[in-house]
């Protein structure tokens, strides 16, 4: 289980490659399915062109919350491991905002637990997006 | 007793504070703390509350050293 | 849209990185969500330890079928693109068997279409698995 | 008329053929072709059929140059 909140841009595919190397020390051949969700910064939201995005979070509570839902997922589904990486701070076009991955013996558990984690993150993890629009006006995304 | 009160995102901007300490003698609910730091404004229904970094309700009672946070609906991911 | 059947081992994360580079020429900032399924060779199946796997396919029909379901997914969901890579031939422990990815504006379409593609592939794409067990006995996986 | 008949996976091993050509004068259904290449065995219900690389049924009629394939339930992915 890994939870990381980072202010640095990251490449989701390189993160997955590195993480699977560690995972395979213990679980090579054990998992047969992985489901991955990657959320990326779009250039539009609610009909407006977005220039850049700032992500605020509640340091401490965010990590605790994500660890809690990861543990719930590991209990509720037959999954082997979970990974969540989430950006904070200033984010630019096309950069990854969030990466979620789950590994399991069979595909149903991988799909369902990955979906569960992103839905819980979106509805309860204390992150807030502030958008800078094309005309340089700034707004908080409404929840 | 001393507790720490935090505000996040748009609410932080509206209240004009990131963090404040308050002192009080009796046990207080989250709702009373909100009123104390906002000069008796009503705590809006959509505002979320955490005590010691766990979700809590407006009726949760806080104790010495607790950290209380108020924030708008979350929008990460 | 990409469909590839390959007899060579591939790294799913490198494939995704390469494919997104091409995708971003046209769609940078347009997609906000990607869902990825990776199927990997397990060391067990139906209670037995599996040594290696051979994947047979119906060349031509397989590619046609996967192209057909990819087109259906692109029509049915608001997704931007789809990617399917599937191994054939001799496969060893921990190697990737299948990679499926879908990209969309929002997460629901990405999750649903990715799941749709793996379910269609599993139920109708003409691939057949032959397992070599620990005692060197060989069996076809039952569908 | 000539058509090509293919077999895959466990069925290929059971029939003992990968591919064969058959010649016939009348129009034939998939089912009749199966009987012709297997010496009048009954086509099992679970066996899948494709004509020109598209799924077809046992009643599909084939024509000159068609490719007919028989295979067991698929197990990829």
């Amino acid at each position: 289980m890994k939870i990381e909140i980072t202010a640095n841009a990251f490449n989701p595919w390189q993160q997955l490659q590195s993480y699977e190397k560690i995972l395979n020390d213990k679980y090579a051949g054990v998992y047969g399915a992985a489901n991955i969700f990657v959320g990326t910064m779009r250039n539009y939201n609610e009909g407006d062109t977005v220039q850049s995005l700032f992500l605020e979070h509640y340091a401490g509570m965010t990590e605790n919350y994500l660890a809690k839902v990861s543990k719930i997922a590991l209990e509720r589904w037959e999954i082997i491991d979970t990974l969540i990486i989430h950006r904070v701070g200033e984010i630019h076009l096309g950069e990854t905002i969030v990466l979620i991955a789950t590994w399991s013996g069979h595909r149903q558990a991988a799909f369902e637990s990955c979906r569960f984690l992103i839905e819980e993150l979106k509805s309860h993890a204390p992150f807030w997006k502030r958008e800078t629009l094309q005309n340089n006006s700034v707004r908080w995304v409404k929840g | 007793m001393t507790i720490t009160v935090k505000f996040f995102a748009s609410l932080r901007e509206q209240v004009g504070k990131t963090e404040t300490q308050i002192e009080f003698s009796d046990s207080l609910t989250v709702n009373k703390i909100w009123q104390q730091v906002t000069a008796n404004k009503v705590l809006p229904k959509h505002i979320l509350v955490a005590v010691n970094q766990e979700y809590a309700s407006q009726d949760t009672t806080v104790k010495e050293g607790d950290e209380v946070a108020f924030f708008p609906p979350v929008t990460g991911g």
Side-chain angles (χ1 to χ4, degrees), chain A residues 99-138:
Chain A
L99 163 64
I100 298 186
T102 58
W103 288 266
S104 61
H106 302 278
R107 70 189 180 283
Q108 184 172 343
F111 270 100
E112 288 182 4
S113 57
C114 185
R115 185 75 191 265
F116 167 78
L117 288 175
I118 184 64
E119 297 300 333
E120 290 297 312
L121 187 155
K122 286 251 179 199
S123 59
H124 291 104
F127 291 108
W128 301 274
K129 281 176 177 155
R130 194 182 65 209
E131 297 173 333
T132 301
L133 304 184
Q134 216 169 13
N135 59 6
N136 289 318
S137 68
V138 169

Side-chain angles (χ1 to χ4, degrees), chain B residues 20-74:
Chain B
T20 185
Q21 248 85 34
I22 66 163
E23 300 283 335
F24 57 97
S25 45
D26 293 333
S27 70
L28 278 186
T29 63
V30 163
N31 194 40
K32 289 281 178 198
I33 288 163
W34 169 268
Q35 287 176 7
Q36 197 166 322
V37 293
T38 63
N40 292 315
K41 287 211 181 71
V42 175
L43 177 50
K45 282 236 154 81
H46 71 280
I47 293 300
L48 300 169
V49 180
V51 174
N52 297 330
Q53 309 194 348
E54 296 268 356
Y55 278 106
S57 78
Q58 302 197 5
D59 303 323
T60 302
T61 305
V62 298
K63 56 182 197 307
E64 167 68 19
D66 279 357
E67 177 177 299
V68 178
F70 296 97
F71 46 81
V74 305

